[in-house]
Amino acid sequence: MAYSFDVVSPVKRMVKNVLRVQFKRDYDEEPIWGTRRSMRDILYNPLYMMAYMLAVPLFGAGVILLIVKYFERRSTVYVLTNKRLFLSKGVFSQTHDEIEISRIRDTRSHQTVFERLIGVGSIYVSSYDRTGNIVMKSIEDPHYKRDQIREAANDLRDNY
């Protein structure tokens, strides 16, 4: 006997929230992935942690900085669909940006030695759009996600 569960994962919920905010959502638009900025580079980097711990005696500034970084990263969301790449960021005032996949000119991923050890990196997306360039920092598995952006762009170009 097979059971069907309708479980909404946090990533699916995040993707739905970002797409819900957009004004001109196409109903044939399918999400490919959605991600937030990772906390790995802060939590596993000994230099960051030492700086925050040294700042703790200064009126709890280290804890406050860590909390601010946490909310800053949790509020930055990237969503790739088969038609657009969305960027949503901001805790109190929010900025929503998008690039049409067909207008992406080039993508590049970058990882420092430390980022390679912890599995995060940056993705640079340049476009012909007025948005220009987008830098997605602290992304888990950046090479794979960059390849998915490129494949989505190629698929959209091949269909037209």
Side-chain angles (χ1 to χ4, degrees):
M1 178 180 249
Y3 292 99
S4 173
F5 295 99
D6 188 18
V7 178
V8 178
S9 71
V11 172
K12 284 185 181 177
R13 194 172 330 125
M14 170 186 62
V15 169
K16 279 177 68 173
N17 287 339
V18 169
L19 292 178
R20 178 179 46 83
V21 169
Q22 304 306 318
F23 298 116
K24 45 189 180 182
R25 169 138 160 61
D26 292 334
Y27 290 103
D28 60 339
E29 191 168 17
E30 294 293 323
I32 297 172
W33 55 256
T35 188
R36 289 187 167 104
R37 284 186 69 182
S38 177
M39 289 290 290
R40 285 186 190 177
D41 59 335
I42 290 178
L43 296 177
Y44 295 128
N45 191 336
L47 295 176
Y48 276 128
M49 290 310 289
M50 284 184 356
Y52 289 131
M53 292 307 132
L54 289 175
V56 167
L58 302 172
F59 308 106
V63 175
I64 292 170
L65 287 174
L66 202 54
I67 290 171
V68 167
K69 283 289 185 188
Y70 172 79
F71 282 114
E72 174 188 298
R73 287 171 183 248
R74 291 295 292 174
S75 66
T76 302
V77 178
Y78 306 107
V79 176
L80 175 67
T81 68
N82 58 344
K83 293 189 175 187
R84 294 181 278 182
L85 176 65
F86 293 98
L87 164 65
S88 176
K89 64 180 176 179
V91 177
F92 298 111
S93 61
Q94 289 192 334
T95 302
H96 300 284
D97 214 348
E98 67 181 62
I99 293 179
E100 299 283 334
I101 292 292
S102 61
R103 301 184 64 81
I104 290 179
R105 180 176 38 191
D106 192 26
T107 60
R108 183 171 60 99
S109 59
H110 175 72
Q111 286 180 304
T112 63
V113 173
F114 179 73
E115 289 174 336
R116 286 182 64 197
L117 292 173
I118 60 174
V120 297
S122 299
I123 301 173
Y124 300 88
V125 178
S126 62
S127 73
Y128 298 111
D129 219 358
R130 198 168 55 171
T131 304
N133 301 333
I134 287 182
V135 179
M136 297 185 284
K137 295 181 180 179
S138 302
I139 302 294
E140 294 179 10
D141 201 6
H143 300 303
Y144 176 70
K145 288 190 170 79
R146 186 212 53 176
D147 287 341
Q148 285 186 314
I149 294 170
R150 193 178 67 234
E151 286 175 17
N154 289 339
D155 288 346
L156 192 61
R157 288 184 194 121
D158 291 344
N159 290 337
Y160 288 111

